[in-house]
Amino acid sequence: MVSRWGWLLLQVTRRLWFRATLISLLAVAAALLSLVVSPYLPQGLSARIGADAVENILNIIASSMLAVTTFSLSTMVAAYSAATGNVTPRATRLLIEDTTTQNVLGTFVGSFLFSLVAIITLAMGAYGERGRVVLFVVTIFVVLLIVVTLLRWIDYLLRLGRVSETTQQVETATARAIRGRVDRPCLGGKPISPAASRLLSGGQTVSSDRIGYVQHVDMRALSNLADKTATEIVVDAVPGAFVDPARPLAHCDADRQDLDLIRSAFTIADERSYDQDPRYGLAVLAEIASRALSPAVNDPGTAIDVLGRAVRVLAVWAEERESAEPAFPRVLVPEIEIADLFDDIFVPIERDGAGLAEVQIRLHKALAALGRAGDGRFRDEAVRRSRLALQRAETGLAFRPDFDRVQAAAQLVGVDLPGRDDARRQPSGA
């Protein structure tokens, strides 16, 4: 489990300026490398390999990389705007943190700084004949790096900001968060039901000093404090919870100083994060489908695509888990309810797609697939959601044959429809 400082460091490494700065520093170091290596090279090597042409190459790199960087930035801004308007603003953060984009821009900025530092150093006469040889070799390597990066960038620009590509990134982030919860149930703490959490909410109350969403909980810090005080800490606000000074973060029998340490283990920000919050990713997927089903967009195909992704993501949760001892047994954390996961992803699609038979049929097929996953662990929730979706469809589908097809799809989930013999046929369509 990542500590609070490790998690904050991870957030810093995801920033665009971090990779660009790191690659730029490496590029500047490479430009100055020639001053260190040049004394060990033989005389006359510069004329034999044509190292005198390095200044012209550096001038080309300096002028072209500045233009390419400016163009790339404008393209990225346009892609982010397109993703905000066509997908959801909540997915833009994943595009900004995309490593491919950051590496490309870092390479372009680093190449520009490399050529700039090298040109200045050449003008100062610091390299000499043998220094030009090393600089020439490094420049050739930089040119090859630029060519490879440009080819990757051209291929990536064709997909950047598209609905399918952005939805794929949301699915990947959600599956990663769910996988983390599967590997470490309850964040590594001792599982406890939400009802039992309220019953055990005794002792001192730890409240938030700001209003926002819990993004990260430092479980190791809480465990160390619980071991030191020989008590248990009951976590009330898991990642994704909206807290204010009146809502408790945790409960514990401890003194005021320890309460401050518990409060510092919770990272609170203005927005939710995908890392420790699997429900956030499901909500974003549902928002993508809901926007696609709006009259302004009218794209049921995207909603159907999201339903397929929902099955893949939730199937991870249904996988068999190894019964291992909690890593932090003195920290009690509420479990994520399966009903909440289903409601996060399916309720908006049920509501906004109630009048589209193809969306409803695919919805019931998705629920049927989840009902069979994990040895039927999702079966009860799949049947519950299928019944509710069928009720919505009955009010939204005025054409009776369409509703009959939806009823037939609901039977695949296991919803009993007595007295409707015409609904027992296999549904056609999506």
Side-chain angles (χ1 to χ4, degrees):
M1 186 59 61
V2 180
S3 65
R4 181 173 185 269
W5 292 110
W7 185 80
L8 292 176
L9 178 61
L10 178 63
Q11 304 309 304
V12 172
T13 59
R14 291 175 175 175
R15 299 294 182 88
L16 175 60
W17 63 263
F18 178 82
R19 289 178 182 265
T21 302
L22 184 61
I23 296 176
S24 298
L25 291 176
L26 292 176
V28 172
L32 300 178
L33 178 66
S34 305
L35 301 177
V36 180
V37 180
S38 59
Y40 303 97
L41 297 179
Q43 291 283 353
L45 188 61
S46 175
R48 290 198 296 269
I49 66 173
D52 292 337
V54 66
E55 189 170 358
N56 295 330
I57 301 176
L58 291 173
N59 287 326
I60 295 174
I61 295 176
S63 59
S64 59
M65 283 302 99
L66 185 59
V68 169
T69 302
T70 304
F71 167 77
S72 300
L73 285 173
S74 61
T75 304
M76 287 173 51
V77 172
Y80 297 159
S81 300
T84 300
N86 299 331
V87 187
T88 171
R90 259 60 63 187
T92 309
R93 179 175 179 179
L94 292 176
L95 297 180
I96 296 175
E97 295 177 352
D98 181 69
T99 56
T100 300
T101 302
Q102 294 182 358
N103 290 335
V104 166
L105 286 180
T107 301
F108 291 160
V109 175
S111 301
F112 171 73
L113 290 180
F114 163 80
S115 59
L116 198 62
V117 172
I119 290 173
I120 294 174
T121 312
L122 277 174
M124 295 171 57
Y127 281 121
E129 180 184 351
R130 288 178 291 186
R132 284 175 175 266
V133 175
V134 181
L135 182 62
F136 180 78
V137 174
V138 176
T139 303
I140 295 300
F141 173 78
V142 171
V143 170
L144 294 176
L145 180 63
I146 292 173
V147 172
V148 173
T149 303
L150 278 174
L151 293 177
R152 290 184 57 198
W153 186 229
I154 292 172
D155 177 71
Y156 190 73
L157 282 180
L158 299 176
R159 297 177 280 113
L160 183 62
R162 296 173 65 92
V163 174
S164 58
E165 179 70 18
T166 307
T167 309
Q168 176 61 47
Q169 292 188 343
V170 176
E171 177 190 352
T172 302
T174 307
R176 184 169 56 247
I178 291 182
R179 173 64 64 186
R181 282 299 183 95
V182 171
D183 295 339
R184 280 185 175 270
C186 299
L187 302 175
K190 187 177 179 180
I192 179 175
S193 66
S197 174
R198 289 190 291 269
L199 292 176
L200 294 176
S201 297
Q204 296 286 341
T205 298
V206 182
S207 299
S208 171
D209 54 0
R210 59 172 299 183
I211 299 175
Y213 292 96
V214 177
Q215 285 193 344
H216 180 267
V217 179
D218 190 347
M219 293 293 293
R220 189 172 300 279
L222 294 178
S223 179
N224 293 337
L225 181 60
D227 292 338
K228 186 184 72 172
T229 57
T231 185
E232 290 184 334
I233 299 177
V234 180
V235 174
D236 289 293
V238 296
F242 185 77
V243 296
D244 56 74
R247 176 175 178 177
L249 297 172
H251 288 83
C252 178
D253 291 327
D255 54 30
R256 183 175 298 276
Q257 182 179 1
D258 292 335
L259 295 182
D260 292 336
L261 293 176
I262 294 176
R263 185 180 295 107
S264 65
F266 291 81
T267 302
I268 301 173
D270 297 334
E271 298 178 349
R272 297 172 71 175
S273 173
Y274 292 89
D275 293 325
Q276 285 189 344
D277 186 7
R279 295 184 59 186
Y280 182 50
L282 291 173
V284 173
L285 284 174
E287 187 176 342
I288 295 173
S290 184
R291 174 168 293 197
L293 293 172
S294 65
V297 179
N298 191 21
D299 181 18
T302 295
I304 293 174
D305 176 63
V306 168
L307 287 170
R309 297 179 188 275
V311 174
R312 288 195 294 268
V313 168
L314 290 176
V316 178
W317 188 270
E319 294 178 358
E320 292 293 333
R321 309 180 186 181
E322 297 182 1
S323 56
E325 290 295 325
F328 313 111
R330 289 185 178 273
V331 183
L332 281 62
V333 181
E335 297 181 279
I336 295 180
E337 300 288 343
I338 295 178
D340 292 334
L341 297 177
F342 273 65
D343 290 347
D344 288 336
I345 181 65
F346 292 120
V347 168
I349 302 177
E350 292 174 13
R351 180 193 64 229
D352 298 326
L356 296 173
E358 60 272 25
V359 175
Q360 289 293 319
I361 291 173
R362 177 56 64 184
L363 171 64
H364 290 289
K365 286 186 176 182
L367 291 172
L370 289 173
R372 297 187 297 266
D375 297 329
R377 188 181 305 167
F378 287 165
R379 177 172 174 76
D380 292 341
E381 285 303 320
V383 172
R384 180 180 72 89
R385 285 260 55 96
S386 181
R387 286 199 182 109
L388 293 174
L390 194 60
Q391 293 177 17
R392 292 181 186 271
E394 189 171 11
T395 61
L397 292 173
F399 188 57
R400 191 67 196 187
D402 282 346
F403 181 67
D404 291 342
R405 292 166 58 208
V406 174
Q407 280 188 316
Q411 286 188 306
L412 299 177
V413 189
V415 176
D416 189 17
L417 302 171
R420 298 218 44 94
D421 294 334
D422 57 339
R424 293 195 179 101
R425 60 183 175 82
Q426 288 288 329
S428 60

